[in-house]
Every structure is written in C-alpha cells, then in structure tokens.
Amino acid sequence: MIIAANLKTNFTRTETREYIEKTEIFIKETKTTQEVLVFPAMSSLDSFDTKLIQGAQNAYPTIDGAFTGEIGLKHLEEFGIKTILIGHSERRHIFGESQEELVKKFNFYKDLGFKIVYCVGEPLEKREAGNTAMMEYISSQYEGIDTEYENLIIAYEPVWAIGTGLTPTFEDIEEIHTALKKKSLASLLYGGSVKVTNAKDVLAIANVDGILVGSAALYVEHFCNMISFAEELSVTDHPVKSQKNSNIYPNKE
Ligand code: PGA
C-alpha cells in the first residue's frame, strides 16, 4: 500500500530532516514493504538518501524562467525529486488552479516520467447536491488526465473532510472508490482527516490502496503507526480486504 504524508506549510528544513530521518529509521527497522511518500514544504526540499520517497507539493510546468514565486524542474532535479502532487484541493480552491492549468502541469511532469499523485474530491455543496451531481463534479476533475499513465496515483480527498476532522462513512468511501476504480485502475488513496485512530479501518476498505495524510502525519509516531497498519493488513492478507477486493470491477467508463 501507499502511505503518504502531505506536510503542507509546516516544518522548517531542519524539522523536516528530523522527520524524514525518524521515518526512515522506522522503515528500515521494521523492514516495511509499504511505499512511503513524504511531501515537504517547498523550502524544506533537500537531498535524502532514503527508501522513502520525497515528493514536491507543487511545481510549475517549466524547466526554469520568469515565474515569480514558483519552482520548476531544475529545482526538483537538484534534489533528485521525481514525484509530485498535482490538483490538491488547496491548490484548486485557495490558489484557484483551474483544470486546464492542472492538465498542463500533469502533462509536463508526465512527459518527464514523474510519479504523479493526482487529487480529486468534491466540496460539501456538491456532496449535498446528491450522488449524480457529486460524481459529475469528480468526473470533471479527470478531464484531460491520462488515467492510464503508468506512474499515476490518484487520491480521493473530499474537500469538506480535509483538515476538519470529518470523514465520509466507510461505506461511502468504499462506494466512491469502487466507482472511481472504473475510471482508472491507478492506485487510489483516500485522504481527508485520516488519523491514527481511523487509519487501519480506512486502509481495510475495498479499493483503498493507501492514504494521503495531512495534519495527523505531522506526528511522526502517528505516521509510522499508519505505515505499520498497512503492513499488518498486507502481511495478514486481511480477510475483509481480500474478500472485498474480489469486488473490484476493472471496467472503465
Ligand atoms: P488532512 O489533510 O489529513 O489534514 O485532512 C489531508 C490532505 O490535505 O492531503
């Protein structure tokens, strides 16, 4: 499974290094087979010789140039970064990144072979407007995206669940993930108020291939616990998960 920490605008360079070092020690000591991704703040990106993968929370679709306040490919290459988060709801809603801009960014980094964690998810009013409106909204976030890209990971993160302590019911997550798997067979993460107290249950849901964690991942022990939960579910071949996984419906619409 994939366990990802989005550190957002938290942690200095020194704090980030400590965080990554502690997580790496945990990964080595426990010999976890899970894929661990960490997305530090822009100014905390650095060179790490680790099994865990460092990714960028954002970058402009350019090698370099006149784009004040942005970083480009050169700045990622300096640290050997080949993983990027695209379409996070905070980029879409706070910074107003349009689907068109996200597609440009997606294609630029796709052509370079980056691992892309592409985020989708509905705001509260779309969820309240009913299933059809909600799924139409989420579908519009797939427009222009190569859903068959081999290095694609999708994260479903309902906007209203991010940083709020609210989550959909496990049944809702399963239903939406099952629907989204019909759009793309890429690994599908759930994100939005995942905590150490609900992570194991979320990871056990059918068609959940991992989690993208914000606030709760800031506690390195909690983040490491979540890696352990994924490991436990993988090695014990969790009966509920394996039984539910047989329901994966691999057709695409
Ligand atoms: P949260 O954030 O875990 O704090 O809800 C998740 C995210 O924004 O990726």
Side-chain angles (χ1 to χ4, degrees):
M1 281 191 260
I2 299 168
I3 310 297
N6 176 7
L7 302 181
K8 307 194 180 182
T9 318
N10 297 293
F11 294 164
T12 61
R13 180 178 296 272
T14 310
E15 289 165 343
T16 301
R17 180 162 284 280
E18 274 169 27
Y19 182 93
I20 287 186
E21 281 170 4
K22 278 189 188 158
T23 308
E24 184 66 11
I25 289 170
F26 179 84
I27 288 172
K28 290 210 172 115
E29 281 179 0
T30 57
K31 299 192 174 59
T32 183
T33 54
Q34 309 309 305
E35 184 170 340
V36 179
L37 310 179
V38 177
F39 295 89
M42 207 83 100
S43 67
S44 301
L45 296 176
D46 213 336
S47 295
F48 296 106
D49 181 18
T50 51
K51 267 187 71 150
L52 71 78
I53 298 169
Q54 172 185 220
Q57 290 174 21
N58 180 43
Y60 202 68
T62 186
I63 296 172
D64 56 9
F67 303 99
T68 303
E70 295 284 332
I71 61 170
L73 177 65
K74 258 185 150 177
H75 311 94
L76 302 181
E77 280 182 335
E78 183 181 8
F79 303 122
I81 294 170
K82 296 276 293 175
T83 300
I84 187 166
L85 202 57
I86 294 180
H88 188 276
S89 80
E90 284 150 17
R91 300 292 322 167
R92 291 181 191 266
H93 299 287
I94 301 177
F95 302 104
E97 285 188 18
S98 65
Q99 186 63 19
E100 200 185 347
E101 286 169 310
L102 293 172
V103 167
K104 256 190 221 157
K105 200 173 275 195
F106 185 96
N107 288 336
F108 182 84
Y109 287 101
K110 177 192 137 186
D111 289 346
L112 292 159
F114 270 58
K115 189 192 288 283
I116 298 176
V117 180
Y118 180 72
C119 305
V120 299
E122 79 290 352
L124 191 56
E125 70 268 18
K126 293 294 172 190
R127 169 158 293 238
E128 287 174 347
N131 201 52
T132 309
M134 178 181 81
M135 290 314 290
E136 267 172 21
Y137 182 88
I138 301 173
S139 294
S140 70
Q141 297 177 320
Y142 280 74
E143 272 166 26
I145 299 299
D146 178 1
T147 54
E148 293 180 0
Y149 175 46
E150 55 180 356
N151 285 327
L152 171 64
I153 297 168
I154 295 173
Y156 168 62
E157 300 201 299
V159 180
W160 52 274
I162 295 177
T164 57
L166 301 170
T167 53
T169 63
F170 297 146
E171 290 73 24
D172 282 348
I173 296 175
E174 177 167 348
E175 197 181 319
I176 295 170
H177 273 237
T178 303
L180 296 184
K181 276 279 180 178
K182 293 179 195 171
K183 295 183 174 297
S184 170
L185 289 176
S187 292
L188 184 56
L189 316 185
Y190 170 78
S193 293
V194 175
K195 307 226 169 316
V196 74
T197 45
N198 63 13
K200 194 162 184 184
D201 290 330
V202 171
L203 285 165
I205 297 170
N207 292 329
V208 170
D209 304 311
I211 45 180
L212 175 55
V213 192
S215 353
L218 295 177
Y219 302 94
V220 70
E221 296 77 15
H222 289 197
F223 185 55
C224 290
N225 279 337
M226 295 183 205
I227 300 170
S228 297
F229 296 153
E231 189 70 22
E232 281 164 37
L233 289 169
S234 310
V235 295
T236 55
D237 199 13
H238 194 263
V240 177
K241 186 142 182 113
S242 47
Q243 180 215 324
K244 283 184 176 168
N245 271 345
S246 64
N247 291 337
I248 289 177
Y249 182 63
N251 292 340
K252 294 176 66 194
E253 281 176 335

